[in-house]
Amino acid sequence: DIQMTQSPSSLSASVGDRVTITCRASQSISSFLNWYQQKPGKAPKVLIYAASSLQSGVPSRFSGSGSGTDFTLTINSLQPEDLATYYCHQSHITPPTFGQGTKVEIK
Amino acid sequence: EVQLVESGGGLVQPGRSLRLSCAASGFTFDDYAMHWVRQAPGKGLEWVAGIGWNSGNKGYADSVKGRFTISRDNAKNSLYLQMNSLSAEDTAFYYCAKDLGLYYDSSGIDYWGQGTLVTVSS
């Protein structure tokens, strides 16, 4: 199975900060990488698909980059409503797998 | 608007069976693969099973292979998960999820339902 390793596992940042979360795949997955946001008590919601495409309706402060094995989710100008856990996900090579999650807290 | 509504969760004894359903609307159901993903309370996301647009391509996590069966009825816009031989380790929220493409092992998930809780306990 492909292992998806996210870092950091958690972070605390201030409103307005730029936040970067990384996801590393144990083998190449091309650009078949999605990012999800899960707020407390809610279902996940897609932010980015195909590594860098912003899902319709998602604020432009979210962006994704990378290909192969290394990927990044960036939140420019963190907002209070961005308090959530963020997951990366690959389904290019079966079985589909998720990263362990990165919990983002607001200082 | 894409809507995925799960049902069928609840409290079940170890060793028993349960069938989850997911009613889909707001998109052309038979144009997309579908998935079940679970999340134990306070834990991360675990992919459980996926099924292609015409049921011709299916896959399961090793943790459920041989016990769970995914199926779909395109005429009813519905997805199902038959869960047999349940154990405490299967306790989780179960999410129905829509894929971006035709096959479960291709593009990944875009939309998620709100989830249904399955609790396995005596």
Side-chain angles (χ1 to χ4, degrees):
Chain A
D1 297 5
I2 292 186
Q3 305 302 315
M4 306 298 291
T5 304
Q6 287 182 232
S7 61
S9 296
S10 64
L11 65 91
S12 181
S14 299
V15 172
D17 283 354
R18 183 181 188 186
V19 169
T20 299
I21 299 168
T22 64
C23 178
R24 174 164 288 176
S26 59
Q27 64 186 84
S28 177
I29 56 171
S30 185
S31 295
F32 293 94
L33 188 285
N34 298 342
W35 288 98
Y36 304 95
Q37 175 193 63
Q38 186 177 33
K39 294 184 177 181
K42 300 294 187 181
K45 166 190 165 184
V46 67
L47 300 173
I48 303 288
Y49 63 94
S52 60
S53 295
L54 188 68
Q55 174 75 352
S56 176
V58 173
S60 59
R61 64 180 180 274
F62 292 94
S63 64
S65 65
S67 67
T69 61
D70 294 310
F71 301 87
T72 300
L73 173 70
T74 300
I75 310 173
N76 281 303
S77 189
L78 187 71
Q79 298 300 303
E81 60 266 31
D82 299 335
L83 166 73
T85 300
Y86 295 83
Y87 294 92
C88 62
H89 167 60
Q90 73 79 25
S91 61
H92 181 53
I93 297 175
T94 198
T97 47
F98 291 89
Q100 81 279 15
T102 295
K103 187 173 185 178
V104 174
E105 298 177 328
I106 310 296
K107 281 183 185 175
Chain B
E1 179 192 4
V2 172
Q3 288 199 342
L4 300 167
V5 180
E6 302 93 340
S7 60
L11 175 63
V12 62
Q13 292 179 329
R16 302 298 291 266
S17 299
L18 206 60
R19 188 195 197 207
L20 305 183
S21 299
C22 171
S25 61
F27 64 101
T28 304
F29 185 69
D30 54 9
D31 276 352
Y32 298 94
M34 298 293 293
H35 302 262
W36 289 99
V37 177
R38 69 184 180 184
Q39 185 172 38
K43 302 296 185 182
L45 300 168
E46 179 190 16
W47 178 80
V48 172
I51 185 167
W53 67 282
N54 66 351
S55 303
N57 124 289
K58 298 181 187 180
Y60 299 90
D62 285 345
S63 57
V64 307
K65 201 172 292 183
R67 300 188 299 123
F68 289 13
T69 302
I70 189 171
S71 61
R72 64 189 294 162
D73 185 336
N74 287 347
K76 295 182 178 180
N77 288 352
S78 294
L79 177 72
Y80 306 100
L81 186 68
Q82 177 67 42
M83 305 186 293
N84 299 332
S85 302
L86 286 161
S87 70
E89 289 68 41
D90 298 314
T91 294
F93 286 93
Y94 284 73
Y95 294 102
C96 166
K98 171 189 168 295
D99 199 280
L100 283 153
L102 289 168
Y103 305 103
Y104 82 88
D105 50 357
S106 58
S107 309
I109 292 166
D110 55 357
Y111 289 96
W112 301 68
Q114 287 306 302
T116 187
L117 178 61
V118 173
T119 304
V120 184
S121 175
S122 54

